Amino acid sequence: MAIITLCYERILNLAKKHLSVVYVSPGWPLSNFPNGIVTYIQNLLPSLSDDICADVLAHQVGNDIFDESVVDLSKIVLDENIVTRLISKILYRIKTQYVEQQLCQHRWVKLSKQIVAGIESLEKQPNLIEIEETFGLTKGLVAATDIPIITRLHGPWFTHGPNVNISTQTDYYPRVKAEGLGIKASHGVSAPSHDVLERVREYYNIALPDAAVIPNPVLPVHQDLQWAYRSEVRPTVLFVGRFEGQKGGDLAVDSFRIMAQYNKEIELLFVGPDSGIFIDHQKFSFQQYVDKFIAETHIKNRIHFLGHCSSEHIASLRRSSTVTIMTSRYETFSISLAEALATGSPVVASNVGAIKELVTDGFNGVLAEPESAESIAEKVIALICDSDHMQMLSDNAIVDSRERFSPEVVAKQTIKFYRSVLNGC
């Protein structure tokens, strides 16, 4: 009876406790490092402030950022002897899977030491560390600190390999293996979608019975900045994402070619960096791909590659574009899609990965067949001819996004999960 009472008191005290959490981020802030993980953390933190004291340990920090709650890990210099540095330089020149495994372990040790040093520089030791699965860094951190660690499944490497021509590289399988070890070593695992969590369970053959599915937070869009249908302007199709295989940049171009044959005014706005795409082992840039696979000059002239754009510019394009398309071959969540839905932009998205968890076909968007330019084009052509349908999708998307993905909603789920992890430690 006494043991039960003590356990109850421990749980009760933990529930009342103001938690301190460290988030490890690839960069900071979002304006300097437009990245899905940085977006996730930056959107989440303000809604956690009443319950959680949060600090960010970033691998890179913008030069103009002075914030006591942000630690620049790149400025933490570790003492390494000459022999260790020499061995590292030699290993980086050798391309074998065995060497890559050794390099993964070297990264574990080095980055773990940097993170621990960053934590020690904080005024208060955290109750929890949250980190992405990349390189399986959790494995090294568990050995370096007693602080419980949560791994957030932002984009496990094995989900990328087949789509971006990296599964044959010597560092692919060592990294995939390292990430699996890191996930297994975690005190808690969270995922933005059921799809990626189930894929991880199946691929690594691990149960993860206490893992939680918590969506990425997306900021609500003010009414003045939400999508508005304009019949007097040319129809435009917006794509936001990298030009590469995973994001289906080629499918966006291919589908637009079909659309443009039916509609002589429609235009494509392509926003995102040009990472290139491999076709039969040959790499094509965006312009090279357009030149090779679109013969019609009148269609080429309606394709506008805008490259990297600011968040404000993208928000403006979402508001004014007729339709937004999402042509990815796989997504663990897609913040870009979620932001389009929050804007109320009518969306046509490939039914892959977690997309079906964001979009309910015919309710807040339209789903197309996976990897099918023809299906995407067919759905877009039908949609732009039905303004009432577009408006209905827009209205539903805005409400649904606020109810499921607003930072306040996600924060409550996150805090509940953090406390459950600590209760189990």
Side-chain angles (χ1 to χ4, degrees), residues 234-239 256 259-260 263-270 298-299 301-304 321-323 380 384:
R234 285 189 169 198
T236 53
V237 175
L238 176 65
F239 175 92
F256 178 75
M259 299 175 211
N263 188 305
K264 304 305 180 183
E265 294 189 331
I266 196 168
E267 298 186 352
L268 172 66
L269 305 178
F270 195 109
H298 70 95
I299 295 179
N301 291 340
R302 287 183 275 154
I303 297 175
H304 310 285
S321 296
T322 313
V323 174
V380 170
I384 63 176

Side-chain angles (χ1 to χ4, degrees), residues 92-355:
Y92 273 107
R93 295 175 181 270
I94 303 173
K95 298 297 182 182
T96 67
Q97 286 197 9
Y98 173 77
V99 169
E100 291 296 341
Q101 288 175 354
Q102 303 308 306
L103 288 173
C104 276
Q105 293 180 17
H106 177 72
R107 291 189 190 99
W108 287 348
V109 174
K110 183 177 180 179
L111 293 176
S112 296
K113 287 181 178 179
Q114 283 185 315
I115 291 170
V116 170
I119 290 172
E120 290 174 348
S121 71
L122 301 173
E123 290 186 6
K124 183 179 179 181
Q125 178 170 293
N127 303 105
L128 283 171
I129 300 170
E130 181 172 301
I131 189 169
E132 60 179 302
E133 77 288 331
T134 303
F135 295 115
L137 183 54
T138 301
K139 178 70 174 178
L141 267 179
V142 166
T145 179
D146 293 330
I147 302 170
I149 300 165
I150 290 173
T151 295
R152 175 77 172 171
L153 302 177
H154 284 285
W157 205 233
F158 75 87
T159 66
H160 294 276
N163 295 324
V164 290
N165 203 49
I166 57 175
S167 57
T168 58
Q169 297 177 5
T170 55
D171 62 346
Y172 176 72
Y173 285 106
R175 175 170 172 176
V176 168
K177 180 180 178 180
E179 291 184 355
L181 294 173
I183 293 168
K184 291 177 182 178
S186 305
H187 298 89
V189 173
S190 71
S193 67
H194 291 278
D195 185 272
V196 69
L197 179 57
E198 291 307 315
R199 285 174 185 260
V200 166
R201 283 171 167 157
E202 181 179 355
Y203 188 91
Y204 291 113
N205 192 27
I206 47 180
L208 301 176
D210 299 320
V213 175
I214 304 172
N216 289 328
V218 179
L219 300 177
V221 176
H222 191 275
Q223 186 174 357
D224 293 342
L225 301 176
Q226 292 171 359
W227 178 84
Y229 176 66
R230 298 185 299 169
S231 60
E232 72 279 4
V233 299
R234 285 189 169 198
T236 53
V237 175
L238 176 65
F239 175 92
V240 179
R242 296 184 300 275
F243 181 70
E244 44 112 88
Q246 181 88 343
K247 297 298 181 182
D250 55 324
L251 292 171
V253 174
D254 294 347
S255 64
F256 178 75
R257 179 175 181 268
I258 299 171
M259 299 175 211
Q261 291 171 338
Y262 283 91
N263 188 305
K264 304 305 180 183
E265 294 189 331
I266 196 168
E267 298 186 352
L268 172 66
L269 305 178
F270 195 109
V271 176
D274 185 354
S275 300
I277 194 164
F278 286 87
I279 306 291
D280 295 329
H281 305 292
Q282 182 179 353
K283 189 175 183 178
F284 292 85
S285 68
F286 181 86
Q287 193 57 54
Q288 288 170 338
Y289 188 88
V290 170
D291 289 341
K292 182 172 180 62
F293 294 102
I294 297 187
E296 303 89 344
T297 301
H298 70 95
I299 295 179
K300 287 183 181 179
N301 291 340
R302 287 183 275 154
I303 297 175
H304 310 285
F305 180 75
L306 305 183
H308 172 72
C309 294
S310 67
S311 299
E312 293 77 16
H313 189 189
I314 294 173
S316 175
L317 292 173
R318 287 191 177 115
R319 180 179 184 274
S320 60
S321 296
T322 313
V323 174
T324 294
I325 58 173
M326 171 66 63
T327 57
S328 300
R329 289 181 167 86
Y330 181 71
E331 289 288 350
T332 60
F333 181 81
S334 182
I335 289 179
S336 177
L337 173 59
E339 289 175 342
L341 294 170
T343 306
S345 177
V347 165
V348 174
S350 297
N351 188 5
V352 297
I355 300 301

Side-chain angles (χ1 to χ4, degrees), residues 15-20 44-54 408 411-412 415 419:
K16 295 177 180 178
K17 189 176 182 180
H18 194 85
L19 299 181
S20 178
L44 182 62
L45 291 190
S47 295
L48 295 175
S49 58
D50 291 339
D51 297 271
I52 288 179
C53 175
E408 294 78 15
K412 290 179 180 178
I415 293 166
R419 295 194 185 281

